[in-house]
């Protein structure tokens, strides 16, 4: 038997003489402790809780199960009897129900004042009792014994034939068999959950490929999960931009106005105690396995009870450290969402997050119209900002290329000598490898490398956007981020300002990214591999295609941390695909004419 403390036995028996006899038989505890894996010399005496009516026994079982669920500790008074003590009175029975402790085994007489025969057993088994049941009867009826076991009893004992060794052995075997049964059931549920969630995960992956919008994908996720018998209601939501309230975006299943009735907020307060707010805070799955008895669910319990929600799970939808929402799943089963099922649901949240990120990137690549967000940044790249404080000085960076764990930046400068600019860059954290690409002392193109703190670039890219440009003049540093029109602008602004504490949102505008007569960056990115695109873009920006060249193939390869031969291979493949796009578009245009 797992757990600490003495063995807890519920004896439902209306005959005082039989009750005393059972208690006496259990007075020798060494053999029972040994069979249950406890220390035989511990001297812990089994505690017998005696009830004389079925109604009182069921009430005690219900309170003991609730006690176990809420992890409270009942000391047991009144009807809690050490072996050999007198039976409980009616008032003591009521006290027992109020302070019950978890029961390890039930000894049940079939014929009681308020119930008779096998229906007594059925009533106990249907009460959601978690303890094994041993039937005691004064009748020597083998058919009744077989029927009792087939209905779910662990054993059937005739009172006149019971001896102390037999009772001890029977109790030990019943508890062990029951634990084995529970373990088998747990493994079966885990296997079913694995198969079910794997199937749903595959369906959601297919939905991610076939759906054209985030809204359609989120609704498909809710529909898939709610269609499964294991889940009663599913919804996806997130915190409103700039506000604490969690609002739904998609839902499926037995809702019946539930989302209109409840309020969930992020942060502190009465409506921030549940699994959703905690999942938002920790970015980890949170579960309430028994809504009826979990105090954190107080604000929503009545609404959940009306719709038969007995347990719930809140799963953060994440990808590359970016949160895309919270998936809430409800079950009509108490104690649902086992540890194994939680692991699978957590993976499902990752799959959904990856799919949403892919849809946002796809929208960003294929859309000609984009959003540009401009930020003013204070307290960053101080030496560089100071170097451009005079009116004539201006530094612009038109292109950022991520190469491994660093960023290659290509830009132009005017009104500042390249020696002065290089000195300012040397004194600026995370900026290095400054190189002038074109002739000119006070007006020229340059290249530099950012080697640390590239979280902003990673996060914006994960939302389907890019850091487009930067401008430093008049002692002010401005940064422009480009996003698809479908992006959650408020969430991106919040993210940028959290990553860059000195950043302040300044403006938003719509821009055309490309001309229809030229292959768009989105089209090229879908045709080229990441390395091919990186090689082509870096070669272009570093002046490889200029005449005379401002960067050799060896220098570009060194920047990309690859061999010259590999650079040439990537570049030739990229050039071939680029010209295929150009001339296939031209042929299509001429055919249309």
């Amino acid at each position: 038997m797992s757990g600490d403390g003495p063995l807890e036995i519920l004896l439902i028996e209306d005959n005082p003489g039989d009750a005393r006899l059972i208690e006496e038989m259990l007075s020798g505890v060494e053999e029972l402790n040994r069979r249950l894996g406890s220390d035989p010399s511990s001297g812990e005496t089994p505690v017998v809780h005696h009830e004389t009516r079925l109604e009182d026994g069921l009430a005690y079982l219900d309170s003991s199960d609730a006690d176990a669920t809420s992890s409270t500790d009942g000391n047991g008074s009144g009807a809690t009897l050490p072996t050999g003590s007198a039976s409980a009175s009616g008032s003591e029975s009521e006290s027992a129900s109020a302070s019950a402790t978890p029961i390890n085994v039930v000894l049940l007489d079939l014929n009681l004042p308020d119930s008779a025969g096998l229906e007594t057993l059925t009533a106990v088994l249907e009460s959601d009792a978690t303890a094994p049941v041993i039937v005691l009867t004064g009748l020597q009826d083998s058919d009744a014994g077989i029927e009792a076991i087939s209905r779910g009893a662990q054993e059937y004992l005739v009172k006149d034939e019971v001896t102390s060794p037999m009772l001890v052995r029977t109790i030990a075997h019943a508890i062990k068999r029951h634990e084995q049964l529970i373990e088998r059931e747990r493994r079966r549920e885990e296997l079913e959950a694995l198969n079910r969630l794997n199937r749903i995960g595959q369906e959601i992956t297919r939905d991610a490929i076939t759906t054209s919008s985030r809204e359609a994908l989120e609704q498909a996720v809710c529909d898939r999960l709610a269609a499964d018998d294991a889940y009663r209601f599913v919804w996806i939501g997130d915190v409103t931009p700039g506000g604490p309230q969690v609002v739904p975006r998609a839902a499926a299943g037995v809702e019946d106005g539930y989302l209109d009735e409840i309020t969930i907020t992020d942060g502190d307060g009465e409506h921030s105690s549940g699994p959703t707010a905690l999942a938002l805070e920790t970015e980890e799955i949170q579960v309430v396995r028994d809504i009826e008895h979990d105090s954190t669910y107080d604000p929503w319990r009545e609404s959940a009870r009306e719709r038969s929600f007995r347990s719930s799970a809140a799963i953060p939808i994440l990808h590359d450290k970016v949160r895309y929402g919270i998936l809430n799943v409800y079950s009509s089963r108490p104690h649902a969402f086992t540890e194994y099922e939680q692991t699978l649901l957590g993976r499902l949240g990752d799959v959904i997050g990856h799919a949403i990120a892919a849809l946002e990137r796809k929208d960003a690549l294929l859309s000609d119209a984009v959003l540009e967000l401009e930020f003013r940044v204070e307290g960053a790249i101080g030496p560089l900002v100071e170097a451009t404080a005079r009116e004539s000085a201006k530094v612009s960076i038109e292109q950022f290329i991520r190469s491994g764990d660093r960023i290659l930046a290509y830009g132009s400068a005017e009104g500042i000598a390249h020696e002065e600019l290089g000195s300012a860059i040397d004194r600026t954290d995370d900026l290095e490898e400054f190189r002038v690409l074109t002739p000119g002392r006070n007006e020229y193109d340059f290249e530099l490398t950012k080697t640390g703190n590239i979280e902003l670039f990673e996060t914006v890219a994960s939302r389907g956007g890019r850091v487009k440009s930067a401008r430093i003049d008049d002692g002010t540093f401005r940064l422009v981020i480009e996003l698809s029109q479908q992006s959650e602008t408020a969430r991106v602004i919040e993210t940028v300002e959290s990553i860059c504490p000195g950043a302040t949102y300044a403006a938003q505008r719509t821009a055309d990214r490309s001309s229809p007569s030229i292959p768009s960056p989105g089209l090229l990115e879908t045709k080229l591999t990441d390395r091919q695109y990186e090689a082509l873009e870096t070669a272009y920006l570093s002046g490889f295609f200029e005449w005379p060249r401002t960067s050799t193939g060896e220098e570009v390869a060194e920047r990309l941390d690859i061999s010259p031969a590999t650079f040439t291979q990537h570049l030739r493949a990229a050039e071939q695909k680029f010209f295929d796009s150009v001339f296939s578009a031209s042929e299509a245009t001429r055919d249309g004419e």
Side-chain angles (χ1 to χ4, degrees), residues 238-413:
D238 206 349
V239 180
T240 54
Q245 188 162 342
V246 178
V247 295
R249 291 197 300 260
V254 182
E255 193 262 346
D256 293 338
Y258 178 73
L259 295 176
D260 295 328
E261 289 183 13
I262 66 170
T263 298
I264 300 174
T265 57
D266 180 28
D268 299 325
E270 177 187 2
H271 298 98
S272 303
S273 62
T276 301
L278 195 55
L280 287 168
E281 178 184 351
T282 63
E283 296 191 340
E284 295 178 352
I285 185 170
Q286 302 294 329
V287 169
V288 171
R289 300 197 66 202
D290 192 343
I291 289 174
E292 193 64 30
H293 299 101
D294 194 312
S295 60
T296 64
Y297 224 87
D298 287 347
W300 313 282
R301 180 176 294 112
E302 190 60 36
S303 296
R305 182 188 293 134
E306 291 175 0
R307 295 160 179 84
S308 299
F309 301 160
R310 298 294 302 276
S311 54
S312 75
I315 304 102
I317 301 174
L318 302 168
H319 181 66
D320 279 352
K321 301 179 182 179
V322 177
R323 190 186 75 234
Y324 293 94
I326 296 290
L327 169 67
N328 279 280
V329 183
Y330 300 78
S331 174
S332 59
R333 299 172 291 131
H335 313 298
F337 307 111
T338 62
E339 183 177 347
Y340 193 72
E341 190 170 359
Q342 292 178 41
T343 300
L344 295 175
L345 284 170
R347 293 175 185 170
L348 187 58
D350 294 338
V351 169
I352 299 168
H354 186 275
I356 293 174
L359 283 173
E360 289 193 347
R361 285 195 296 269
K362 179 182 176 182
D363 289 340
L365 290 173
L366 299 182
S367 174
D368 288 335
V370 295
L371 289 177
E372 291 183 354
L373 305 181
E374 183 175 317
F375 294 84
R376 183 178 291 107
V377 185
E378 303 286 346
I381 59 173
L384 195 52
V385 172
E386 293 172 3
T388 61
R390 61 179 179 271
E391 184 177 347
S392 61
K394 181 174 67 175
V395 174
S396 300
I397 299 177
E398 291 84 19
Q399 192 73 35
F400 296 94
I401 301 174
R402 182 178 174 184
S403 179
D405 58 355
R406 61 182 183 166
I407 301 294
L408 302 179
Y410 294 90
S412 60

Side-chain angles (χ1 to χ4, degrees), residues 12 42 52 56 174 193 197 226 244 284 293 325 327 413 425 448 501 512 527 568:
I12 308 178
S42 65
T52 59
D56 297 332
L197 292 174
E284 295 178 352
H293 299 101
L327 169 67
I425 289 172
L448 62 85
D512 291 329
K527 288 179 174 294
T568 301

Side-chain angles (χ1 to χ4, degrees), residues 26-37:
L26 294 173
S27 60
V29 299
E30 291 81 3
E31 177 65 14
L32 184 56
N33 286 339
R34 185 186 66 80
R35 287 179 176 273
L36 293 176

